[in-house]
Amino acid sequence: MEKIVSLCKRRGFVFPGSEIYGGLAGTWDLGPMGIGLVDNIKREWLRRFVSSREDMYGVKSSILMNSKIWEASGHINFFVDPMVDCKKCKSRFRADKIDVKNGCSNCGAHDFTEARSFNMMFKTHAGPVEDSSTEVYLRPETAQGMFVNFKNVLDTMRPKLPFGLAQVGRAFRNEITPGNFIFRTREFEQMEVEYFVREQDWKKYFEMWHKEMRAWAEDLGISGVSDREVPEEERAHYSGRTVDIDFDYPFGREELWGLAYRQDFDLSQHSKFSGQELTYHDEETKEKITPHVIEPSFGLERTMLAVLLSAYHEDGDRTVLKLKPKLAPYKVAVFPLVANKPQLVEKAREIFLSLKAGGHNLNPVFDDRGNIGKRYYAQDEIGTPWCVTVDYQTLEDDTVTVRDRDTAEQERVSAKDLETYFVDRLL
Ligand code: GAP
């Protein structure tokens, strides 16, 4: 884990939040490489689960929403963690995450208060007046933004069951004990689907989404996932069944993504609290029904962490991130063999600019610093799948060497065929 944290900092993936002011617990910032990776993960998610399917619709709801939403959803009453305080040093812990009898607090004492409920929603005020009437919450899940737009999408898009709404966006939780790098933070991004089905079909679609989630983990190159059937007493208040997709992190097996059967809980509650009818007119039976919901929920930062941990390899003195090429921030690096030969530099820049102008998201990078071996190693460490080197032979026959990150093997490719060469291999 330390190696990943250090690589992320050193190479511009993830920086501690507010670092020059000593940081802010539970927050992390993405650097240029981190943005490259998460944007590619998000793009893959949207392509796979939204744009390549006929039954999915995207929405983007506000982070600030009417507080009644959180009453209806049960978050005001139930979105709580049990908290204990160390009586000696006053540190706070999640009671379900430490062994209160033997567990260690920061000071080594074992004397805790009784567990109390702590609501994890961040509260703020909309507008200049700070009283209870202006209280609003930062959303702790993107899901509710989809339930409250259910009717809008029905009215505008006229979808047929089963269909889903999808959203990518930030969520906020005042976690008692954030930690393990970007695994548990107070601000993070979710990629969620609310999939509406007829009640009698829920098991079928639960299985369908379960398979989809496992297949996506494999597609991203995430290794070491397992399923955990969540027992009833641990499930969220709305869930009739939950399966966690767990990942073997260096700190133990913990949740990566979650799959829940939310029943008709949310639509029924919002209907009750808003006074609006949130039903679907079933043309087959001529009945109005409240659809049931299957919810696959994905945390973006945990996905990024699992992708990085799965891709991390050490090969002698070489550190290699064996990212799937489609996830790599840069797909290609272009080098002149040496930096002090203007003809080589000029040709390398020409190739770099033509790849950059191409519309294939190759996101090439140019580098002429140091020696070629160092440049290869630097690209291996950030997961760039291919390095192109312009050498003296290039000036004669317009071919370049393409070096493969994983095998370190090189082949000669005609400069004019480079774009096709990479696009064909972008899996
Ligand atoms: N709408 C359902 C829901 O929010 P959840 O299991 O509480 O369910 C879904 O969260 C996913 O969001 C988790 O599987 C995880 O990937 C991510 N997640 C939850 N809390 C997180 C936190 N504090 N930091 C980072 N990711 C988190």
Side-chain angles (χ1 to χ4, degrees):
M1 193 68 179
E2 276 122 54
K3 287 180 179 172
I4 287 286
V5 176
S6 140
L7 187 151
C8 282
K9 171 92 206 282
R10 198 173 62 247
R11 301 306 314 274
F13 283 90
V14 183
F15 306 128
S18 314
E19 193 183 10
I20 61 167
Y21 286 98
L24 176 68
T27 64
W28 296 88
D29 295 346
L30 294 179
M33 292 298 100
I35 293 175
L37 177 56
V38 301
D39 280 356
N40 291 337
I41 293 173
K42 275 195 262 191
R43 186 179 309 110
E44 279 302 304
W45 189 88
L46 286 167
R47 193 188 54 74
R48 190 176 180 106
F49 296 126
V50 187
S51 62
S52 71
R53 299 176 60 118
E54 298 189 69
D55 54 352
M56 295 295 301
Y57 300 84
V59 295
K60 193 143 191 98
S61 64
S62 303
I63 288 172
L64 299 175
M65 301 198 286
N66 190 311
S67 295
K68 286 219 177 87
I69 289 172
W70 306 112
E71 267 176 56
S73 69
H75 281 79
I76 287 181
N77 288 332
F78 302 119
F79 197 59
V80 290
D81 269 345
M83 175 176 73
V84 291
D85 295 346
C86 169
K87 286 186 184 161
K88 190 167 166 220
C89 73
K90 312 290 180 210
S91 312
R92 293 201 154 150
F93 300 92
R94 252 175 79 171
D96 58 333
K97 292 281 173 193
I98 62 162
D99 177 349
V100 174
K101 281 209 180 72
N102 307 305
C104 55
S105 67
N106 290 341
C107 63
H110 303 304
D111 191 9
F112 296 95
T113 59
E114 288 293 306
R116 326 192 279 298
S117 287
F118 171 73
N119 193 297
M120 291 204 289
M121 283 195 292
F122 276 102
K123 208 187 275 183
T124 187
H125 293 268
V129 181
E130 292 198 5
D131 65 24
S132 60
S133 70
T134 61
E135 256 173 30
V136 287
Y137 298 92
L138 304 188
R139 65 182 180 199
E141 59 170 11
T142 63
Q144 297 304 325
M146 294 183 267
F147 296 125
V148 300
N149 279 297
F150 172 78
K151 190 173 178 322
N152 284 332
V153 177
L154 267 193
D155 292 348
T156 50
M157 312 306 289
R158 309 248 161 232
K160 296 265 174 291
L161 284 183
F163 70 90
L165 301 187
Q167 162 153 238
V168 178
R170 293 190 94 67
F172 301 81
R173 295 184 188 180
N174 200 357
E175 297 281 357
I176 299 169
T177 42
N180 286 324
F181 191 36
I182 53 174
F183 172 77
R184 181 171 285 110
T185 53
R186 293 196 169 125
E187 177 180 345
F188 54 98
E189 198 140 330
Q190 290 186 318
M191 304 176 284
E192 296 198 296
V193 167
E194 307 303 327
Y195 198 71
F196 299 95
V197 303
R198 291 180 178 84
E199 181 177 4
Q200 63 271 28
D201 293 336
W202 80 265
K203 286 187 177 146
K204 179 169 114 191
Y205 290 110
F206 195 94
E207 290 317 316
M208 179 196 92
W209 279 105
H210 189 198
K211 284 207 187 88
E212 289 287 338
M213 293 173 94
R214 292 295 299 247
W216 197 49
E218 200 174 319
D219 187 58
L220 295 180
I222 298 177
S223 50
V225 293
S226 52
D227 297 328
R228 188 174 81 95
E229 185 72 45
V230 179
E232 194 178 345
E233 63 278 9
E234 273 184 47
R235 290 201 293 255
H237 56 278
Y238 48 71
S239 177
R241 184 182 176 200
T242 300
V243 171
D244 280 352
I245 311 291
D246 283 353
F247 177 75
D248 288 326
Y249 301 92
F251 48 85
R253 181 169 295 178
E254 291 277 356
E255 180 180 342
L256 170 63
W257 304 326
L259 174 64
Y261 168 41
R262 290 183 84 125
Q263 310 173 88
D264 60 352
F265 179 84
D266 302 272
L267 287 182
S268 298
Q269 285 290 102
H270 287 306
S271 184
K272 206 190 294 173
F273 278 69
S274 68
Q276 303 268 329
E277 196 177 307
L278 301 178
T279 55
Y280 172 88
H281 179 70
D282 196 334
E283 278 169 11
E284 281 167 29
T285 60
K286 307 285 177 224
E287 279 176 318
K288 280 184 183 170
I289 56 169
T290 303
H292 280 231
V293 171
I294 308 298
E295 179 195 64
S297 178
F298 306 79
L300 180 60
E301 289 78 1
R302 284 192 197 177
T303 308
M304 176 189 191
L305 183 56
V307 162
L308 286 170
L309 287 164
S310 303
Y312 186 88
H313 285 82
E314 287 177 358
D315 177 7
D317 58 351
R318 195 165 81 101
T319 299
V320 191
L321 274 190
K322 295 190 176 178
L323 296 173
K324 289 283 175 101
K326 63 185 174 187
L327 297 184
Y330 299 135
K331 316 298 187 224
V332 191
V334 184
F335 314 142
L337 180 65
V338 287
N340 57 2
K341 288 278 177 288
Q343 275 175 299
L344 296 184
V345 175
E346 203 177 301
K347 181 68 188 168
R349 293 227 29 107
E350 185 191 303
I351 290 173
F352 161 69
L353 290 172
S354 89
L355 291 173
K356 216 167 167 52
H360 294 287
N361 190 33
L362 293 175
N363 202 18
V365 60
F366 180 85
D367 192 5
D368 62 359
R369 293 165 301 180
N371 68 43
I372 193 98
K374 281 199 180 135
R375 291 184 220 149
Y376 284 149
Y377 276 30
Q379 294 301 325
D380 289 343
E381 212 182 22
I382 55 172
T384 308
W386 302 289
C387 293
V388 167
T389 303
V390 168
D391 56 18
Y392 295 104
Q393 194 180 325
T394 313
L395 303 179
E396 284 163 26
D397 63 6
D398 206 36
T399 64
V400 293
T401 65
V402 176
R403 173 200 180 260
D404 181 277
R405 173 195 70 197
D406 298 345
T407 62
E409 277 171 16
Q410 301 188 17
E411 66 174 305
R412 284 209 86 85
V413 177
S414 167
K416 66 175 176 13
D417 298 335
L418 273 178
E419 188 154 355
T420 322
Y421 178 95
F422 297 129
V423 171
D424 286 350
R425 287 164 177 76
L426 260 191
L427 295 169

